[in-house]
């Protein structure tokens, strides 16, 4: 099993929706800077779309906003 830990900043405010069965879903995107620079000295940034379900999704939507640093 592979594991990945992402630490970055939210690129926009969270979007919380509800499924037809009433389950809360929170969607957000984070920007993660790479630890190394390319040959020309430029640092690259990767963007990841994330989804949090149920209680975790509600907490993310309640406490996190654009620009906040998060760990996933």
């Amino acid at each position: 099993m592979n594991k990945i830990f992402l630490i970055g900043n939210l690129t926009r405010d969270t979007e919380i929706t509800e499924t037809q069965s009433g389950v809360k879903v929170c969607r957000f995107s984070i920007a993660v800077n790479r630890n190394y620079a390319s040959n020309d000295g430029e640092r690259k940034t990767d963007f990841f779309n994330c989804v949090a379900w149920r209680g975790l999704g509600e907490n993310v939507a309640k406490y996190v906003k654009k620009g906040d640093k998060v760990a996933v």
Side-chain angles (χ1 to χ4, degrees), residues 1-32:
M1 173 189 258
N2 296 326
K3 291 183 184 181
I4 184 169
F5 297 95
L6 301 171
I7 299 173
N9 296 71
L10 254 68
T11 59
R12 63 181 190 277
D13 287 330
T14 60
E15 300 172 11
I16 191 152
T17 57
E18 194 171 310
T19 65
Q20 290 179 348
S21 59
V23 177
K24 301 276 186 177
V25 180
C26 179
R27 289 178 170 74
F28 57 97
S29 174
I30 62 173
V32 178

Side-chain angles (χ1 to χ4, degrees), residues 14 16 24 26 52-64:
T14 60
I16 191 152
K24 301 276 186 177
C26 179
W53 293 82
R54 297 184 174 81
L56 177 61
E58 290 180 44
N59 286 335
V60 170
K62 185 176 179 181
Y63 295 111
V64 180

Side-chain angles (χ1 to χ4, degrees), residues 28-49:
F28 57 97
S29 174
I30 62 173
V32 178
N33 294 323
R34 294 187 184 182
N35 288 335
Y36 55 89
S38 62
N39 291 338
D40 60 358
E42 183 180 339
R43 288 186 167 253
K44 299 217 177 197
T45 302
D46 295 305
F47 297 90
F48 297 91
N49 294 320

